[in-house]
Amino acid sequence: MVGTGILKGMAVTLRNFAGSYFEKDRLTTVQYPEERIPLPENYRNFPILIYDGTDPQAGLRCVACKICEKECPPQCIYIIKSDDKKPDYMGKPQLYPKVFDIDISVCMSCQICVEVCPFEAIKMDKDFELSKRERFDALLLRKEELSKSNEYYHRIHPIEAAAVDKNLADAAAAAEAKKKAAAEAAAKAAAAKAAATTARPASAELRRGESTAAPGEAPPATPDKPATT
Ligand code: SF4
Ligand code: SF4
C-alpha cells in the first residue's frame, strides 16, 4: 500500500523519541560542547609532528627527509632542512626540519604523509575545533604548533601509539644488537691480527736461519726440522 514505508519510518522515530526518555542508548544527540561523544580510535583530522621526551625541538622525530612533502597530493607541506644535526631517538645524528609548515586549508586529511613517513614522526590529530576568522596565515600551521608529545599521541590514539612504541623499541634493540655484533667481530679481527703479528717474527727468524747456511751446506737444525747430513 502506498505510504506504508512512511508510516513504518514514523513508527521507528516515535519509538526512539519516546524510548529516549527511558533508555540512554536511544539518545543520539548530546549537549555539545558541554557534552562530547568520545571519538573512535581511527578518527583523523590534520597531521601533527610527534616528539619524544619533554623538549619539542630536541625530541622531534622528524629528520626532514621530505618524503611526506613529495608524496602529499595537494602539496600542502613545506619543509626546510636544518644546517646542523641533532641525535635522534637512537642517538644517531640526524638533520631536523628548520621549517615545517602544513597548510590545513589545503590538507585533505588523506593520511598519505603518515603512511610514507619511515620515522613514525607524523601522525593524525583528532582536534576538529580549528575554525579561524582569518582565512590564510591562521590556517598555515608552523612546526611549533604542529609539535605534540608522544603522551598526547597516546591519549588520542592509544592502540596505534602503543604499536608504534613497540616498533621503535624493536628497531632500537635490533640496531643495538647489530652494533654489538659488529664490535665483537671487530674485536675478534683485531685479536687475530695481533696473533698473526706475533707469529710472524718467529717464522722470519726461522727463514733467516735457513739463509745463513753456506751454499751446499746443510741448514742448521730447527725444532721441527732436523739438520740433514
Ligand atoms: S593528510 Fe594528506 S593532504 Fe594532508 S598533509 Fe598529509 S598527505 Fe598532505
Ligand atoms: S615527517 Fe617523516 S617523512 Fe616527513 S620529513 Fe619528517 S621524517 Fe620525513
Side-chain angles (χ1 to χ4, degrees), residues 44-47 68-69 71-77 100-104 106-114 116 122 124:
R44 64 175 192 248
N45 202 9
F46 296 116
C68 57
E69 189 189 55
E71 297 294 330
C72 172
Q75 297 285 286
C76 64
I77 302 180
F100 197 122
D101 300 341
I102 298 181
D103 186 346
I104 60 164
V106 177
C107 174
M108 55 188 196
S109 306
C110 65
Q111 198 177 290
I112 288 176
C113 51
V114 175
V116 297
I122 187 164
M124 298 305 282

Side-chain angles (χ1 to χ4, degrees), residues 49 61-69 79 100 113 116-122:
L49 295 174
R61 289 181 187 168
C62 176
V63 299
C65 67
K66 291 189 164 208
I67 295 175
C68 57
E69 189 189 55
I79 301 170
F100 197 122
C113 51
V116 297
C117 176
F119 297 92
E120 308 282 9
I122 187 164

Side-chain angles (χ1 to χ4, degrees), residues 35-226:
E35 272 183 76
R36 286 155 192 261
I37 296 174
L39 295 168
E41 163 84 19
N42 56 359
Y43 174 84
R44 64 175 192 248
N45 202 9
F46 296 116
I48 48 172
L49 295 174
I50 306 297
Y51 66 86
D52 295 305
T54 51
D55 185 342
Q57 299 318 311
L60 208 61
R61 289 181 187 168
C62 176
V63 299
C65 67
K66 291 189 164 208
I67 295 175
C68 57
E69 189 189 55
K70 285 192 196 88
E71 297 294 330
C72 172
Q75 297 285 286
C76 64
I77 302 180
Y78 177 66
I79 301 170
I80 298 180
K81 286 183 183 190
S82 62
D83 304 319
D84 56 336
K85 292 188 174 183
K86 69 169 183 62
D88 66 4
Y89 68 101
M90 288 199 281
K92 201 171 152 194
Q94 297 276 17
L95 292 170
Y96 60 91
K98 193 157 69 177
V99 173
F100 197 122
D101 300 341
I102 298 181
D103 186 346
I104 60 164
S105 69
V106 177
C107 174
M108 55 188 196
S109 306
C110 65
Q111 198 177 290
I112 288 176
C113 51
V114 175
E115 304 299 333
V116 297
C117 176
F119 297 92
E120 308 282 9
I122 187 164
K123 299 291 170 192
M124 298 305 282
D125 201 357
K126 283 186 173 181
D127 188 8
F128 54 86
E129 293 162 319
L130 296 164
S131 57
K132 308 270 190 242
R133 286 189 175 275
E134 206 271 309
R135 189 175 165 191
F136 297 104
D137 200 44
L139 294 173
L140 185 67
L141 300 187
R142 316 280 177 190
K143 182 176 76 167
E144 291 71 24
E145 296 157 280
L146 293 168
S147 301
K148 302 281 177 189
S149 68
N150 196 27
E151 285 72 36
Y152 175 81
Y153 178 39
H154 272 264
R155 273 201 304 281
I156 60 169
H157 295 292
I159 300 171
E160 185 187 292
V164 167
D165 274 5
K166 187 178 175 308
N167 285 350
L168 291 178
D170 289 351
E176 191 55 41
K178 200 172 160 190
K179 209 167 133 187
K180 207 172 154 190
E184 279 171 12
K188 264 188 202 164
K193 197 174 168 191
T197 324
T198 49
R200 207 171 297 133
S203 48
E205 196 59 41
L206 289 179
R207 275 200 301 281
R208 254 201 310 281
E210 281 171 11
S211 63
T212 50
E217 193 184 307
T222 60
D224 54 349
K225 193 174 177 187

